[in-house]
Amino acid sequence: MQDVKNRNPNQDEFVQAVGEVANDIYNWVQGRDDYHDAQILHRMTEPDRIVSFRVVWEDDDNNVRVQRGWRVQNNNAIGPYKGGLRFSPGVNESVLKFLAFEQTFKNSLTGLPLGGGKGGSDFDPKGKSDAEVMRFCQSFMTELCRHIGPSLDVPAGDIGVGAREIGYLFGQYKRITGRFEGVLTGKALAYGGSQMRPEATGFGAVYFLREMLKSDDQEIEGKTAILSGSGNVALYAARKLIDCKVKVLSLSDSDGVIEIKEGLDEKQLEWIQTLKFEKRGRISEAADEFDGITFHKGKTPWALEADIAMPCATQNELAADAAKALAGNGITHVLEGANMPTTADAMAVLREKGVAVAPAKAANAGGVAVSGLEMSQNAERMSWERAKLDDLLTEIMADIHHKCRKAGKGDDGSVDYRRGANIAGFEKVADAMLAYGVM
Ligand code: NDP
């Protein structure tokens, strides 16, 4: 880890992600001389390549604006690079490297032939007109298109990149290359998208939770849950939780949290989906619209009492003091909907207090799994039924749960899902790298 720190100065998120994986697999790899001789761990901490480029676009007042774009192609040992694009002012190389590193093990866990990558820009789509977002996306893709392809690297959406952005990006790829092919996932149904892709991450996380509870002889019905975020992951997780008769007590955005005392209902959720996905409004507006919803400015959901907590906003949003509050408030399960939402200190608190944690690379793998199925549909130029995709997603999440539980079982019978996910995800990638020899 000292070597990783020295080689990646000021890249805290990346060092944190590597440290968590290394910590979890350390004992397990002892005695694996083949991994050691081939320097597998060391090789995995160095991305295959990172492309960084200038993105120039014009705003609505004809000002020329300059942004930076990246694609981190982390590891393609088990399939083409695959991972989302994030547009947010907080994006930098460290964040994208951590996300691409995590993505590699997540994609391995799905059982599909997908390598790991991630990309994005420090562009902030918030407050921009559709025309500005279009011009930015076109400029971004003008450079990115030379580095991606259906068997090479297949990006998707992430924070700040939803259906609108994917449409502009795919349109520009097609315009430049002249090829209509499955080079992006998260596309709309009209041009090669998959049923269930928008819902997949949130629904998949709830399917994983259902499996966790089942293996502890518990029912999901009747539980209560606190969620952060109000984007793609949070809102579809909320939908599935409501379907499973779980009371959703909160949602949030970077302005604050809404508390829903009686639990979110269908009508409120639909209204919030329109607010967030179409009108691009703020979560506080839900409190103005509905009695029974209260907005707490600048607050997070972690002080509320519930059975389940689902951080679905961003990395390191749940720190040690919040973890203590969760454990004190009766939370028994934490499901990471966002990528690395729990700080290392918070994770230690949750472990000590015996709170079961479903790590992001397992709990939110449903999104990339259905992206993998979108690639299969594009390759065979077919479109599968929604019910078939929902069944496949359910099976994949149950399989991931099984792998994590098996690899994460301690001698005393307790299960550490994070360690299990790291070991199971690592092993397949490591074995493929060994097979290729020294490169
Ligand atoms: P969206 O852009 O749709 O939504 C992000 C949500 O998080 C928004 O409500 C946003 O609020 C909130 N948020 C962002 N930053 C902060 C912050 N610093 N504090 C509080 N709230 C914040 O993104 P997604 O839902 O797609 O992604 C959320 C997380 O899930 C990310 O970690 C992503 O990597 C991960 N993920 C997403 C997948 C997908 O399929 N979409 C797949 C797997 C993982 P605001 O509008 O105020 O910024």
Side-chain angles (χ1 to χ4, degrees):
M1 280 313 299
Q2 193 53 51
D3 178 55
V4 172
K5 279 182 201 158
N6 294 345
R7 279 188 291 127
N8 300 280
N10 306 317
Q11 299 204 340
D12 295 345
E13 295 85 356
F14 179 64
V15 172
Q16 179 185 345
V18 174
E20 286 178 9
V21 172
N23 213 19
D24 281 346
I25 63 168
Y26 187 78
N27 285 333
W28 181 80
V29 292
Q30 298 308 309
R32 287 296 306 255
D33 290 344
D34 48 353
Y35 289 166
H36 184 73
D37 293 346
Q39 290 288 299
I40 293 291
L41 264 174
H42 195 157
R43 281 155 62 181
M44 274 192 191
T45 62
E46 202 55 60
D48 288 356
R49 72 191 57 76
I50 301 173
V51 186
S52 140
F53 48 94
R54 184 178 64 233
V55 188
V56 185
W57 58 285
E58 247 180 289
D59 69 20
D60 287 344
D61 299 321
N62 298 111
N63 299 305
V64 173
R65 310 275 286 261
V66 182
Q67 240 78 45
R68 190 173 285 175
W70 291 267
R71 186 70 184 163
V72 180
Q73 295 181 330
N74 189 62
N75 188 305
N76 68 352
I78 61 167
Y81 303 107
K82 179 95 198 84
L85 297 171
R86 179 177 289 190
F87 292 168
S88 159
V91 165
N92 57 44
E93 205 170 293
S94 170
V95 167
L96 295 178
K97 277 171 69 179
F98 117 64
L99 289 165
F101 180 80
E102 287 285 293
Q103 190 84 44
T104 302
F105 305 111
K106 179 190 311 191
N107 293 1
S108 161
L109 279 175
T110 65
L112 300 173
L114 303 169
K118 199 84 187 188
S121 172
D122 53 4
F123 172 75
D124 186 359
K126 266 187 225 149
K128 305 288 189 303
S129 70
D130 285 352
E132 288 176 322
V133 171
M134 180 185 75
R135 288 194 291 273
F136 173 80
C137 288
Q138 291 178 343
S139 182
F140 184 86
M141 182 52 87
T142 301
E143 173 62 31
L144 186 69
C145 73
R146 56 184 100 195
H147 308 291
I148 59 176
S151 301
L152 169 63
D153 184 352
V154 184
D158 191 72
I159 291 179
V161 179
R164 172 182 62 169
E165 290 76 15
I166 292 288
Y168 294 144
L169 291 163
F170 186 72
Q172 183 72 352
Y173 177 86
K174 196 167 63 59
R175 177 201 218 176
I176 293 176
T177 64
R179 290 197 293 271
F180 192 108
E181 54 191 5
V183 73
L184 291 172
T185 59
K187 303 187 291 298
L189 289 177
Y191 58 93
S194 175
Q195 298 276 2
M196 286 296 294
R197 177 59 189 93
E199 299 90 338
T201 309
F203 280 23
V206 178
Y207 295 159
F208 192 94
L209 170 68
R210 212 165 48 188
E211 292 296 318
M212 278 175 103
L213 291 168
K214 205 160 62 180
S215 48
D216 290 336
D217 293 324
Q218 291 187 50
E219 291 282 332
I220 191 167
E221 189 177 334
K223 300 274 186 210
T224 52
I226 47 177
L227 274 66
S228 67
S230 48
N232 174 280
V233 179
L235 294 184
Y236 284 111
R239 168 152 303 284
K240 187 49 71 179
L241 287 169
I242 293 174
D243 287 351
C244 295
K245 303 200 166 33
V246 175
K247 259 191 191 179
V248 173
L249 302 179
S250 72
L251 291 166
S252 73
D253 62 19
S254 48
D255 294 341
V257 61
I258 54 165
E259 184 182 353
I260 314 126
K261 280 235 157 58
E262 297 304 317
L264 192 68
D265 65 32
E266 288 279 348
K267 188 171 147 235
Q268 291 166 336
L269 178 60
E270 266 168 40
W271 189 89
I272 293 172
Q273 281 187 314
T274 308
L275 172 80
K276 285 300 204 177
F277 296 150
E278 290 168 30
K279 300 185 181 158
R280 299 179 196 281
R282 308 305 299 159
I283 201 68
S284 58
E285 294 171 51
D288 304 332
E289 178 71 16
F290 296 104
D291 295 336
I293 298 189
T294 324
F295 178 64
H296 306 289
K297 193 171 161 47
K299 300 276 188 230
T300 64
W302 314 132
L304 302 174
E305 280 180 29
D307 303 308
I308 294 147
M310 288 187 68
C312 297
T314 193
Q315 66 268 8
N316 290 332
E317 57 169 309
L318 205 163
D321 51 346
K324 281 181 200 146
L326 290 182
N329 280 341
I331 295 283
T332 55
H333 293 75
V334 171
L335 256 100
E336 295 189 329
N339 284 312
M340 203 170 74
T342 313
T343 65
D345 291 349
M347 189 61 84
V349 171
L350 295 173
R351 270 182 165 146
E352 186 202 314
K353 304 271 183 197
V355 176
V357 179
K361 58 174 73 69
N364 71 26
V368 75
V370 174
S371 273
L373 302 177
E374 182 174 334
M375 288 164 69
S376 302
Q377 293 169 76
N378 291 167
E380 63 174 35
R381 301 194 196 289
M382 293 287 285
S383 184
W384 302 344
E385 299 277 324
R386 189 179 164 83
K388 170 176 172 165
L389 284 150
D390 199 14
D391 287 349
L392 284 170
L393 174 64
T394 308
E395 268 173 42
I396 290 172
M397 296 313 296
D399 181 54
I400 296 175
H401 174 265
H402 174 74
K403 285 180 193 153
C404 296
R405 212 174 155 83
K406 196 167 156 216
K409 208 163 206 157
D411 295 338
D412 60 355
S414 65
V415 176
D416 185 328
Y417 280 94
R418 201 188 78 175
R419 199 176 63 237
N422 281 330
I423 292 172
F426 174 86
E427 188 174 15
K428 186 175 167 193
V429 180
D431 288 346
M433 288 173 75
L434 269 186
Y436 301 141
V438 177
M439 59 175 66

